[in-house]
Amino acid sequence: MTANKGDETIRNLHQGQRLDVQTILCQAFESLMESERAVFLTESLDNKGNGFYSRFINHLQGRFEIKIPRGRRSQFYPLTIKQLRGLGFLNFARVSNSKSLQ
């Protein structure tokens, strides 16, 4: 998790909030991908971060939405996701603007 997400999660736990598996997985995946993009951008000096796009993950624990970071030149694809998909661990579905599946 990034420092901000990790800190927030720890504060919530210390305040007695219970986190479900989906929340933990979502935060972990998003944090890994943000870190991966940061490394990618240090190696690709002519590129910059350009927000996120959303996808649903269909997992044994249910279905949830994650935000996948992207680069301005559309050259970044998280290896984290590629490896998990290759193992058959994750199935993705696109999220439209109205939050319904396409």
Side-chain angles (χ1 to χ4, degrees):
M1 285 180 228
T2 60
N4 291 341
K5 286 184 183 181
D7 291 349
E8 181 182 339
T9 300
I10 291 168
R11 274 193 297 278
N12 290 340
L13 288 171
H14 281 273
Q15 293 172 356
Q17 181 181 351
R18 294 184 54 127
L19 298 176
D20 58 15
V21 173
Q22 290 180 355
T23 300
I24 294 168
L25 287 175
C26 183
Q27 288 180 354
F29 286 138
E30 289 177 357
S31 179
L32 281 171
M33 291 184 292
E34 287 179 40
S35 296
E36 193 175 342
R37 179 176 67 176
V39 170
F40 174 82
L41 293 176
T42 62
E43 298 169 355
S44 179
L45 299 178
D46 63 338
N47 204 347
K48 294 186 183 266
N50 191 29
F52 301 84
Y53 60 95
S54 295
R55 292 292 184 264
F56 281 114
I57 292 180
N58 298 314
H59 182 262
L60 296 173
Q61 296 296 323
R63 179 184 184 150
F64 55 98
E65 185 178 350
I66 61 168
K67 294 176 183 162
I68 301 173
R70 62 180 171 208
R72 199 167 274 173
R73 293 179 167 257
S74 300
Q75 297 170 330
F76 173 71
Y77 184 79
L79 295 176
T80 304
I81 296 299
K82 187 176 182 179
Q83 289 180 354
L84 292 172
R85 285 181 89 175
L87 294 171
F89 183 69
L90 302 174
N91 293 314
F92 284 93
R94 292 177 184 226
V95 179
S96 73
N97 291 338
S98 63
K99 300 287 184 187
S100 62
L101 292 177
Q102 294 180 340

